[in-house]
Amino acid sequence: MNSSFDLDNAARALRFPAHQVTRVMVLSADHARSALHAMDHALGGCAAEVCGLTLKPVGEIVEAILRLKGLDDTAAEAMAGRLAAATGVHSVRVEHQWGL
C-alpha cells in the first residue's frame, strides 16, 4: 500500500507501542471450513498473537473476524494478501485498533 499515512508512525505518535495495536482481519468466505483453512494457511510461520476469532453466518456466507497483535503494517498487508488468495474467500478487510 502506497499511502502517505503510515499507521505504525501514527500509533507511535499517539504513544501506543506496537504490541498495543490490534490488527483486525475481517473476511467473508463460502463456509466456515474455507475461512478456517485460509486463516490456518495465513498464520503459518507468523509470529502474531491471536487475540480473538469469531465466525458468524451472514446469509449464505460466513464472516470471520480475526484479531491479532504483533503485526506491523507490512505484515498485516501480507497476511491480508494470503487470506484473499485462499480458495473460497470472497473479501478481506484490515482494521487497526489502538490501545484496546
Side-chain angles (χ1 to χ4, degrees):
M1 175 188 290
N2 295 328
S3 172
S4 60
F5 184 73
D6 182 346
L7 291 170
D8 289 330
N9 286 336
R12 281 191 289 278
L14 293 170
R15 295 197 171 100
F16 288 114
H19 69 278
Q20 288 185 354
V21 178
T22 301
R23 311 296 174 165
V24 180
M25 307 286 176
V26 181
L27 65 102
S28 63
D30 288 334
H31 41 73
R33 186 176 52 236
S34 293
L36 290 169
H37 178 71
M39 289 182 280
D40 183 46
H41 174 72
L43 287 168
C46 180
E49 174 189 351
V50 176
C51 301
L53 170 62
T54 305
L55 292 171
K56 70 177 183 178
V58 181
E60 294 185 19
I61 63 172
V62 171
E63 178 184 75
I65 302 171
L66 178 64
R67 289 175 178 77
L68 303 165
K69 286 191 179 182
L71 290 178
D72 61 13
D73 287 343
T74 304
E77 289 176 18
M79 178 168 285
R82 289 192 302 274
L83 288 168
T87 303
V89 173
H90 298 283
S91 66
V92 177
R93 181 178 75 234
V94 180
E95 298 175 358
H96 311 276
Q97 298 175 342
W98 293 291
L100 300 176

